[in-house]
Amino acid sequence: MKKPIYALLLLAAATAIQAAPYIPASGAQVIETLPRRGDPVQQELRRMRSELNARPNDLTLATTLATRYITLARSETDPRYLGYAQAALTPWWWLTSPPAPVRLLRATLLQSTHQFEPAMADLKAVLAADPANAQAWLTQATVQTVQGDYAGATASCAHLSTMSIELITITCIANVGTMTGRSLKSEQLLDLTLERSSNAPAGLQVWALTLLAEMAQRRGAADIAEARYKRGQALNPRDSYLLGAYADFLLEQRRAGEVVALLKDQTRIDALLLRRALALQQQGNARKALAEDVKELAARFDAAAQRGDTVHQREQARFELMLRHDPAGALALARKNWAVQKEPADIRIYLESAAQARDAGAAKPVLDWIALHHTEDVAATRLVRQLQTGT
């Protein structure tokens, strides 16, 4: 029987971005609107937290609460829930061999902050003990894809076929295919699978629709991409990964005003604040607001550097290149980021930085990667041509 694996899917499918501490300009400034105490979800969480405080070593209660927090981190665009999830797992967090449910949750949280090596160690241990753990296979496939281990990711995805519903398996496989020269076939297969999966949970549909939108965007099919982004938004207007991807699409289309509206009240996430700043810059008529966003981003990135946090390197490279106009600084960050992850956005910021720095030689690792894996992306192709011709 196929086992559904929905609870942790959203975090496995995309990495959450954590925000640095924020100091308000005055005591009168509203910095957060707290969830309503009457909200049934928050009431249930408070009840569970109270029970866990009384029984901190209750494994079932702790892992249930942590799972709820991880799900909320994405659905509510609030990375603080990831910290709450880790706190729920405190009695086991630093153990070398924690119970399997904790180990899987720990791997999920570690990969969300780009600690891929310890995350993979936990996932391999979980799978060694339980080869039928579908969530572990999916999370492992996600990490392998981000790191560019496409053969490993394909093998991990294949394990899902007997453990989960078709949409999860095909989305996993298509995510690898789009990086290895099989974009159009992967897109067609995933689109067909989604259309016959109308009863799948909304979260799974949003994941598939976002991936499909990005596929269409990378081949230059703007109308198709936008239709898919809007379908995903209709299902979950607060999905942080979808918001970021759609904002990038709108920025490409020079529709900055729509980006500002889209990201209203969503700038707790560094990546979304960055996109709003880029939209303000593109508009050109909101200098004060832009200056405030740039100052806030600089403070967040500086705080991350002081913590030794390297999760933000792709966003920081984009910040340095486009908002601070420092191609050399951006290229240094893009190079460091490339050593950790190799997604389409990583390719693009590396090539953009090298092109603006007029340093085609620095782009060789990415150019070699594109040639080896037959990467298909109209934006990357344009940047490659620019680097080759020096224009």
Side-chain angles (χ1 to χ4, degrees), residues 306-324:
Q306 291 173 13
R307 296 194 305 269
D309 180 353
T310 61
V311 172
H312 309 268
Q313 284 176 336
R314 179 168 72 199
E315 285 72 27
Q316 189 174 0
R318 199 170 171 186
F319 171 71
E320 295 294 339
L321 182 66
M322 299 178 180
L323 293 171
R324 279 185 161 172

Side-chain angles (χ1 to χ4, degrees), residues 119-129 140 144:
M120 285 294 290
D122 274 343
L123 291 167
K124 290 183 183 302
V126 169
L127 289 168
Q140 180 169 277
Q144 289 167 324

Side-chain angles (χ1 to χ4, degrees), residues 13 142 145 170-179 186 190 207 211 215:
T142 299
T145 302
I170 297 303
T171 306
C172 185
I173 291 171
N175 196 31
V176 180
T178 193
M179 296 295 296
S186 297
L190 180 55
W207 178 32
L211 180 57
M215 288 175 166

Side-chain angles (χ1 to χ4, degrees), residues 2-147:
K2 296 183 178 181
K3 303 175 184 177
I5 51 171
Y6 310 138
L8 303 181
L9 173 66
L10 295 181
L11 199 67
T15 300
I17 302 299
Q18 297 191 30
Y22 172 64
I23 301 174
S26 74
Q29 185 173 347
V30 177
I31 60 172
E32 186 62 86
T33 301
L34 298 175
R36 292 181 295 107
R37 292 188 63 83
D39 184 335
V41 172
Q42 295 301 321
Q43 289 180 334
E44 175 68 6
L45 290 173
R46 285 197 298 272
R47 182 191 64 77
M48 294 175 70
R49 283 199 302 269
S50 179
E51 291 183 7
L52 188 61
N53 287 337
R55 307 194 309 276
N57 294 308
D58 187 324
L59 179 64
T60 300
L61 179 58
T63 54
T64 300
L65 180 57
T67 301
R68 291 285 298 276
Y69 280 140
I70 289 172
T71 304
L72 281 168
R74 180 80 181 276
S75 65
E76 295 300 314
T77 317
D78 190 341
R80 293 173 301 184
Y81 284 114
L82 302 180
Y84 302 157
Q86 180 175 336
L89 302 175
T90 295
W92 308 275
W93 184 261
W94 298 108
L95 295 180
T96 303
S97 299
V102 172
R103 200 158 201 170
L104 179 55
L105 288 164
R106 186 170 70 179
T108 302
L109 291 165
L110 288 170
Q111 71 90 22
S112 77
T113 54
H114 296 191
Q115 298 180 70
F116 296 134
E117 186 175 341
M120 285 294 290
D122 274 343
L123 291 167
K124 290 183 183 302
V126 169
L127 289 168
D130 180 13
N133 193 311
Q135 181 61 55
W137 286 116
L138 177 61
T139 307
Q140 180 169 277
T142 299
V143 175
Q144 289 167 324
T145 302
V146 169
Q147 292 188 302

Side-chain angles (χ1 to χ4, degrees), residues 123-199:
L123 291 167
K124 290 183 183 302
V126 169
L127 289 168
D130 180 13
N133 193 311
Q135 181 61 55
W137 286 116
L138 177 61
T139 307
Q140 180 169 277
T142 299
V143 175
Q144 289 167 324
T145 302
V146 169
Q147 292 188 302
D149 178 9
Y150 302 128
T154 300
S156 295
C157 292
H159 283 280
L160 293 170
S161 61
T162 59
M163 303 175 191
S164 187
I165 66 174
E166 183 185 34
L167 182 58
I168 292 176
T169 303
I170 297 303
T171 306
C172 185
I173 291 171
N175 196 31
V176 180
T178 193
M179 296 295 296
T180 52
R182 302 190 303 276
S183 288
L184 187 56
K185 289 184 178 179
S186 297
E187 183 181 340
Q188 292 170 339
L189 176 60
L190 180 55
D191 191 32
L192 178 63
T193 305
L194 179 61
E195 290 306 311
R196 62 187 182 214
S197 303
S198 58
N199 293 326

